[in-house]
Amino acid sequence: MLLLILLLCASPRALGQVEDSDFEDDTDADLADFDLDIATRRVPRQVKTLLTKEAKPHIQELSVKTTIISRYAFTAVYCAMLNRHSAATEGVFQFQIPADAYVSNFTMIIGGRVYQSEVKPKEKRVKQGNDKPKQKESGDTRSESDVEVFRMAVSIPGRNRAIFLLTYEELLQRRLGRYEHATSLRPLQLVSRLRLDVAIVDHSLITDLEVLPLRNGRSNTATGPKIPAKPEPPVTTVIKNDNNVCKITFSPNIVQQAKIATNGILGDFVVRYDVQRDMGIGDIQVLNGHFVHYFAPKDLPVVPKNVVFVIDTSASMLGTKMRQTKDALFTILRDLRPSDRFNFVSFSNRIKVWQPNRLVPVTPLTVRDAKKFIFTLMPTGGTNINSAIQTGSTLLREYLSGPDTSPNSVSLIIFLTDGRPTVGEIQSTAILGNTRSAVQEKFCIFTIGIGNDVDYRLLERMALENCGMMRRIHEEADASAMLKGFYNEIGTPLLSDIRINYTEDSVQYVTQHLFTNYFNGSEIVIAGKLTNQSAESLHVQVTASNNDKSIILETDFPLQHRQTETEKHVKAAAAAMAAVAKAPGSEGSQRLEDALGSMAQDFAERVWGFLSVKEGLRSRLRSQTSKERDDHTQQAANLSLTYHFLSPLTNLVVEQPEVLADGSMAPAPTITPAAGEVVSAVNELPGDAEEPKLQKSDGKPGSRTSSLSNMIGKVDKKPVKKSITISKTSADGDPHFVVEFPLSKLTVCFNINGEPGHVLRLVSDHKHSGVTVNGKLIGAPAPPGSHKQQRTYFSTITIVVDQPRRAYIEVTPKKVILDGRDRMVLPCHSSVVVDSGALSVAVIGKSNVTVSVGGNVSFVILLHQYKNPAPYQRDHLGFYIGNSKGLSHNCHGLLGQFLYEEVGLAELPAQGDMKPSTVLKVKDRSVPVVQKSRRIYSGTQSVDCWFAKNNAAKLIDGQYEDYLMSHMFDTGDWPHGTNRV
């Protein structure tokens, strides 16, 4: 509310009303708006050219302010965007935020009007029948990633300004003895006034502070590539460190920005630091009835560990992944301590154990033999995750029950894979149940996924249910460095079985306070509410096991003193931001200071809320019963609404202005546009993700970029005719299925009323031609006046080929992933043709994708994309069978079963009051049908068809549920044999 009032009271210029002086006709006058810091500096001709060619609204100012109070970071973003043209133009505000952060406010000011966001609960999904209760979990959480992109597109009236304000919050995690805060600076254009301010305020002395060079990779915090011993901070960076308060400023002018990157993708501004801490029970902050306890002991003896490495050696690991994994394992072997015990398990179709039935001590001889085993690993075959986990668990469990086990050692499995289960047990729920039974709460599982084809939900649940952590390594990341970094995080256990207790009846709603392990360089953070704020002290007791003994730490924290100390450094944070706000040339600084200040006053409570939501989501993921799941979901959703967090259980809703033809704005309905949601950052930033792979090559032998470039047949630069003439046999829209029977000169249609998250088998010819096609459904609300409660569309289509070798294509409305001879990602907004041996793909930008298998099978996938979607519109796909000659007569699936069928029509005579009816004769079955008309090919054509009701009952073999697949790459056979009866 404070932020909203302040914005309404701001000056007309700040609120988007633009003076005539902002619109001089000549270029030099336009450039006068740019703050070059030094008035006499000449703007290079190349920079002028870039600016004058800009058709989109120009970002006049981008200010980012972060206040970090005791490791909890509040970040506010101010973006002022100017439309210099007389006509209305779309402006797009987008900003990368850390995946672990929560957006807590978004506000737009357009044409002097304020549009304030609301956080609302997501609608509860309709439950399935009792026979398949778990199928819909796949869409419940956001995918684990380093960053996500907040994006909002809005129409800006001619000669007007739009202002966007975004705030988000995150708790910094300590890894390898450092906290790291990264701010994305990727405005996608040169900015007149760009400024970043970071203020770090802590109760303890700030140590080891460093600002790294701008980082443009996707490496994960402290686990990424090594930073030079003395990294140089970015140009213009100013650092002021005063013991407990540190202020950092980065403000490159437009010329300096152009020297870094002319496309406006500067990179991540990264700050690393630690705080001075004493051996003992940790530090407690108290503010307004809440407390936060930070526990990170040091100088403790290392606890021996028993570790089994379970490594994926399936065929997809061939090449760089396997080489980097081996490099990391060689390094990890050198880091094992003499008191440790270890073993290796490799898995593909087969399971191989280095030292059967035992864990071996670390000696020069065992390390040498282990290196030989690692060196001989050869990628081949499929991915048997279930058997691999069972084998590793049995090894560790039997060792722990034997006589050689150290009583206080820490036991863990490090599990690495780059794929989904394809061999043996492939059902996620079964794998998780088997894993729990095998682990028996005796050790922890730490999971690592490499690339984009991993079932990260499975790995996350496997880790959470077994006291571990999951880490994601992106396809283009340095897997070797990331693996070494992750091992370093968990390679030095100092404590086990940690329990932290507080004065009974003095606290309530305490977040997680039982921890299986504490690793060197990390930190345990607990928050809670105080039931008696007038109490003199809070008694804290920590019990844990270390090496060969138990540890008990106890102390009394004086509450009033802690309250005073916490208030003091909150005021210091406010003072640091106030000093920033006085910086010249920034309209947004003062507003950002107030936005941050109002939240910082309650930082302890917000830490509690943040941790409680995270804990609720983890508990929800671990739930074994629907009641447990519902309870955790409700709790986390309520807290998200209380603290205005955009979490996986909430939506951010913002009223979006409608700009009329005369330039004025009419009231617009409240919508939840896809553009305003937080989405995965993959492929969202042109020039920073996948596209450079297709356009640039370093030319070095073995270069992945080079090999991808060689695969490209051609890039269509001329306008492409988007009309297509293909078979009517298709699945498009809601989805509506259309089947053309050329021999019978009939067309039949039916609907499938599936559920969001369902994976449908469209074509199944795995045993013969080797082709399988699956489609995944996404949900959307029904349009006003519709008789339906919701609609479903295809959000993803996968085409898997197993002959002559396994390859696949995955298509979404935004990208195409091709994994054949090599792996590549193609954006759907540009045209390109790629041949990958058995598979080839032709993308016509923003129109369609044609996939060819050999020379006699082809499929066409239409791209349905919305520029400004209504609430009931979702980007989706349409699937059409182009050429089916290469598919066998045994082909099956919702569409495939009809490719070689002949059908006929019959009219049943009237009975009683019933009128005559028409039935379709198919496979000796009579299916009631009625005549309908369907629009296909993106609505460009209509087709008359005979419609079968009730989810195609009797028309299709079996029941609708028989066509539900466990995952997108499932190539299992039709359960009832062929389509012949």
Side-chain angles (χ1 to χ4, degrees):
M1 183 59 72
L2 175 62
L3 173 63
L4 183 59
I5 294 171
L6 180 74
L7 294 171
L8 291 171
C9 296
S11 66
R13 179 178 175 85
L15 289 179
Q17 297 177 19
V18 184
E19 300 173 6
D20 291 339
S21 59
D22 284 322
F23 302 102
E24 302 294 340
D25 291 333
D26 60 290
T27 302
D28 288 329
D30 276 348
L31 292 172
D33 241 0
F34 300 134
D35 175 18
L36 300 180
D37 290 343
I38 301 175
T40 57
R41 182 187 300 275
R42 290 197 58 177
V43 181
R45 182 178 302 165
Q46 296 92 330
V47 177
K48 281 188 178 183
T49 302
L50 286 170
L51 297 173
T52 54
K53 285 184 177 180
E54 278 186 2
K56 56 187 176 183
H58 178 71
I59 299 177
Q60 291 183 300
E61 180 179 351
L62 178 63
S63 295
V64 184
K65 317 292 180 188
T66 295
T67 303
I68 304 173
I69 304 177
S70 293
R71 292 79 117 179
Y72 192 69
F74 300 92
T75 299
V77 183
Y78 171 96
C79 178
M81 200 176 289
L82 178 66
N83 178 12
R84 299 178 182 276
H85 307 287
S86 57
T89 306
E90 183 182 68
V92 178
F93 168 76
Q94 66 179 33
F95 197 84
Q96 286 190 2
I97 67 170
D100 285 336
Y102 286 149
V103 170
S104 51
N105 182 64
F106 178 68
T107 302
M108 299 188 301
I109 312 168
I110 300 171
R113 295 187 192 173
V114 178
Y115 298 85
Q116 184 77 26
S117 66
E118 293 182 71
V119 172
K120 294 188 175 182
K122 284 185 177 178
E123 292 183 7
K124 190 173 182 180
R125 292 179 177 177
V126 178
K127 292 185 178 180
Q128 299 184 65
N130 295 330
D131 55 332
K132 294 182 182 291
K134 295 287 185 180
Q135 286 286 330
K136 297 175 65 174
E137 289 186 355
S138 60
D140 289 341
T141 60
R142 293 177 292 176
S143 62
E144 179 73 16
S145 178
D146 293 343
V147 293
E148 292 170 338
V149 175
F150 181 93
R151 186 176 187 274
M152 176 61 73
V154 66
S155 184
I156 305 175
R159 302 203 169 197
N160 233 299
R161 178 183 288 130
I163 292 174
F164 305 91
L165 297 108
L166 173 74
T167 63
Y168 61 88
E169 304 171 32
E170 61 176 320
L171 179 65
L172 302 187
Q173 296 182 17
R174 189 169 183 255
R175 292 177 177 167
L176 300 177
R178 296 285 186 89
Y179 304 100
E180 178 174 297
H181 182 269
T183 306
S184 173
L185 295 175
R186 294 173 172 84
L188 304 184
Q189 61 173 266
L190 299 176
V191 178
S192 298
R193 294 182 293 278
L194 175 65
R195 185 179 177 95
L196 167 67
D197 295 281
V198 180
I200 305 172
V201 181
D202 207 286
H203 177 71
S204 305
L205 183 70
I206 297 171
T207 63
D208 301 325
L209 176 73
E210 60 179 351
V211 178
L212 307 185
L214 290 171
R215 185 172 68 192
N216 240 322
R218 296 171 62 99
S219 302
N220 194 18
T221 61
T223 65
K226 291 183 178 179
I227 301 297
K230 289 187 177 180
E232 290 293 327
V235 63
T236 78
T237 300
V238 177
I239 304 172
K240 296 179 181 179
N241 191 358
D242 183 17
N243 296 330
N244 299 79
V245 179
C246 174
K247 289 178 281 189
I248 303 165
T249 301
F250 175 59
S251 54
N253 61 43
I254 203 164
V255 177
Q256 292 162 331
Q257 294 171 46
K259 288 181 179 179
I260 299 171
T262 57
N263 60 1
I265 302 177
L266 305 181
D268 293 327
F269 187 89
V270 181
V271 179
R272 283 184 183 167
Y273 72 99
D274 197 15
V275 297
Q276 193 174 76
R277 63 192 80 240
D278 299 322
M279 171 65 181
I281 206 163
D283 180 33
I284 279 192
Q285 303 288 292
V286 178
L287 189 66
N288 300 337
H290 290 78
F291 73 91
V292 185
H293 182 191
Y294 304 91
F295 180 63
K298 62 177 183 177
D299 300 330
L300 294 171
V302 177
V303 176
K305 61 180 177 292
N306 313 306
V307 57
V308 176
F309 299 91
V310 182
I311 307 300
D312 188 346
T313 56
S314 61
S316 56
M317 288 286 289
L318 185 66
T320 303
K321 292 178 186 176
M322 194 75 254
R323 186 181 68 251
Q324 292 182 338
T325 299
K326 288 182 178 182
D327 289 344
L329 292 176
F330 289 146
T331 301
I332 289 170
L333 277 172
R334 292 196 299 268
D335 293 339
L336 289 173
R337 296 179 176 84
S339 58
D340 295 338
R341 297 279 182 141
F342 73 107
N343 204 339
F344 285 92
V345 175
S346 68
F347 71 95
S348 55
N349 289 64
R350 297 173 55 198
I351 310 297
K352 296 181 181 179
V353 181
W354 169 51
Q355 295 287 340
N357 305 319
R358 63 180 184 145
L359 266 66
V360 300
V362 178
T363 66
L365 182 62
T366 58
V367 169
R368 185 194 66 185
D369 289 346
K371 287 182 178 179
K372 289 181 181 178
F373 176 78
I374 295 168
F375 185 79
T376 59
L377 295 178
M378 293 295 294
T380 182
T383 309
N384 194 337
I385 288 178
N386 185 70
S387 294
I389 286 289
Q390 296 298 304
T391 302
S393 299
T394 301
L395 274 173
L396 198 49
R397 194 176 62 247
E398 290 180 352
Y399 171 75
L400 292 176
S401 62
D404 300 330
T405 309
S406 173
N408 289 325
S409 60
V410 168
S411 301
L412 49 100
I413 286 177
I414 297 178
F415 177 84
L416 179 145
T417 183
D418 78 327
R420 300 167 182 267
T422 60
V423 177
E425 179 58 69
I426 61 173
Q427 295 287 344
S428 296
T429 51
I431 293 173
L432 291 169
N434 294 341
T435 301
R436 287 192 301 272
S437 299
V439 171
Q440 298 176 6
E441 299 184 350
K442 295 182 181 296
F443 48 87
C444 300
I445 297 180
F446 294 82
T447 57
I448 305 166
I450 302 180
N452 301 325
D453 306 329
V454 181
D455 186 347
Y456 283 104
R457 184 176 179 81
L458 171 62
L459 294 190
E460 184 180 21
R461 288 197 61 180
M462 189 181 293
L464 284 176
E465 291 179 1
N466 299 283
C467 67
M469 295 184 293
M470 187 270 286
R471 191 58 50 83
R472 177 173 187 164
I473 298 178
H474 293 284
E475 194 76 36
E476 66 273 23
D478 183 348
S480 179
M482 300 281 280
L483 281 170
K484 294 171 191 172
F486 184 55
Y487 175 78
N488 288 339
E489 286 187 56
I490 61 177
T492 309
L494 300 183
L495 296 173
S496 61
D497 301 324
I498 305 107
R499 175 186 292 270
I500 303 178
N501 293 321
Y502 304 92
T503 308
E504 193 173 353
D505 300 329
S506 291
V507 298
Q508 61 181 351
Y509 304 120
V510 176
T511 58
Q512 180 184 353
H513 63 285
L514 303 176
F515 302 88
T516 307
N517 299 305
Y518 167 75
F519 298 102
N520 189 43
S522 64
E523 183 174 59
I524 291 173
V525 182
I526 305 149
K529 291 187 176 184
L530 296 170
T531 56
N532 183 8
Q533 298 185 44
S534 61
E536 291 185 1
S537 63
L538 178 67
H539 184 75
V540 182
Q541 181 189 68
V542 178
T543 61
S545 297
N546 167 254
N547 202 350
D548 58 352
K549 61 182 179 181
S550 296
I551 291 177
I552 300 178
L553 302 173
E554 291 185 273
T555 194
D556 290 317
F557 284 99
L559 289 178
Q560 291 303 316
H561 175 71
R562 288 293 173 179
Q563 170 87 15
T564 303
E565 289 294 314
T566 306
E567 288 174 349
K568 185 185 299 183
H569 75 264
V570 168
K571 290 178 181 177
M577 279 291 98
V580 166
K582 295 176 183 177
S586 172
E587 292 182 14
S589 293
Q590 183 63 52
R591 280 180 287 283
L592 294 186
E593 179 208 353
D594 288 310
L596 292 173
S598 61
M599 291 186 293
Q601 295 298 324
D602 295 316
F603 105 89
E605 181 179 354
R606 298 193 73 83
V607 173
W608 174 82
F610 183 92
L611 287 175
S612 297
V613 172
K614 294 285 186 183
E615 188 174 311
L617 292 173
R618 287 194 299 269
S619 299
R620 172 176 177 260
L621 203 58
R622 290 193 296 257
S623 299
Q624 301 300 312
T625 67
S626 58
K627 185 180 185 306
E628 284 181 8
R629 177 182 170 83
D630 289 344
D631 290 344
H632 292 307
T633 299
Q634 191 62 50
Q635 179 189 21
N638 290 342
L639 285 169
S640 298
L641 295 174
T642 299
Y643 293 101
H644 211 260
F645 287 151
L646 177 58
S647 75
L649 303 176
T650 55
N651 281 325
L652 187 72
V653 180
V654 60
E655 183 182 357
Q656 195 172 62
E658 179 184 353
V659 180
L660 302 179
D662 61 359
S664 62
M665 292 186 297
T670 299
I671 61 174
T672 313
E677 295 177 353
V678 176
V679 296
S680 173
V682 178
N683 290 340
E684 288 294 328
L685 298 181
D688 192 31
E690 310 297 347
E691 288 184 273
K693 293 182 181 178
L694 303 179
Q695 298 168 352
K696 299 178 183 178
S697 169
D698 59 14
K700 297 178 183 177
S703 164
R704 182 171 181 81
T705 303
S706 177
S707 65
L708 291 178
S709 300
N710 294 335
M711 289 176 63
I712 299 176
K714 65 176 182 176
V715 177
D716 297 324
K717 297 182 179 179
K718 298 179 181 180
V720 181
K721 187 178 180 181
K722 295 186 178 181
S723 61
I724 52 176
T725 303
I726 50 177
S727 165
K728 297 182 179 67
T729 300
S730 59
D732 205 343
D734 193 6
H736 304 304
F737 287 74
V738 176
V739 179
E740 189 176 27
F741 296 91
L743 297 177
S744 306
K745 295 183 180 180
L746 288 174
T747 302
V748 177
C749 51
F750 58 93
N751 293 347
I752 291 295
N753 297 317
E755 295 289 340
H758 278 179
V759 176
L760 303 184
R761 171 61 49 79
L762 302 178
V763 176
S764 177
D765 201 26
H766 174 69
K767 283 191 173 180
H768 302 279
S769 66
V771 177
T772 302
V773 183
N774 295 326
K776 185 175 184 179
L777 296 178
I778 188 174
S786 173
H787 65 282
K788 291 186 175 183
Q789 290 187 344
Q790 72 168 359
R791 307 205 294 183
T792 51
Y793 305 90
F794 285 116
S795 63
T796 309
I797 301 287
T798 56
I799 300 167
V800 182
V801 178
D802 275 342
Q803 298 176 12
R805 61 180 179 274
R806 188 174 177 88
Y808 73 82
I809 285 181
E810 180 177 351
V811 183
T812 73
K814 298 293 186 185
K815 63 183 176 182
V816 177
I817 300 174
L818 169 61
D819 200 328
R821 285 194 301 247
D822 232 326
R823 176 185 170 80
M824 61 193 308
V825 181
L826 310 172
C828 287
H829 59 72
S830 57
S831 299
V832 63
V833 177
V834 177
D835 186 4
S836 180
L839 279 174
S840 63
V841 57
V843 181
I844 298 180
K846 300 181 180 180
S847 178
N848 60 74
V849 177
T850 299
V851 179
S852 300
V853 184
N856 52 11
V857 176
S858 66
F859 307 107
V860 178
I861 300 168
L862 302 190
L863 306 172
H864 300 297
Q865 300 175 346
Y866 298 94
K867 188 175 182 181
N868 295 302
Y872 51 85
Q873 293 174 322
R874 295 287 187 272
D875 288 351
H876 63 279
L877 305 172
F879 175 76
Y880 292 76
I881 297 180
N883 182 359
S884 60
K885 292 180 180 178
L887 298 174
S888 75
H889 282 71
N890 292 305
C891 184
H892 212 272
L894 284 169
L895 289 176
Q897 64 185 292
F898 299 114
L899 294 178
Y900 295 97
E901 288 296 332
E902 292 188 48
V903 296
L905 287 176
E907 187 169 302
L908 298 180
Q911 295 180 357
D913 296 334
M914 301 293 291
K915 295 180 179 180
S917 59
T918 304
V919 295
L920 186 76
K921 293 289 188 177
V922 54
K923 305 177 191 177
D924 299 326
R925 300 192 295 263
S926 296
V927 185
V929 292
V930 295
Q931 278 191 302
K932 278 200 175 185
S933 179
R934 285 276 188 253
R935 298 190 70 81
I936 57 175
Y937 308 153
S938 298
T940 60
Q941 293 187 32
S942 294
V943 56
D944 294 327
C945 58
W946 292 96
F947 179 73
K949 300 179 181 180
N950 301 325
N951 262 6
K954 295 186 178 181
L955 176 66
I956 58 176
D957 291 336
Q959 305 296 320
Y960 159 72
E961 288 76 14
D962 296 325
Y963 298 86
L964 296 182
M965 300 296 106
S966 60
H967 55 82
M968 289 298 292
F969 300 92
D970 189 339
T971 57
D973 295 323
W974 164 248
H976 302 297
T978 70
N979 59 345
R980 299 293 171 185
V981 293

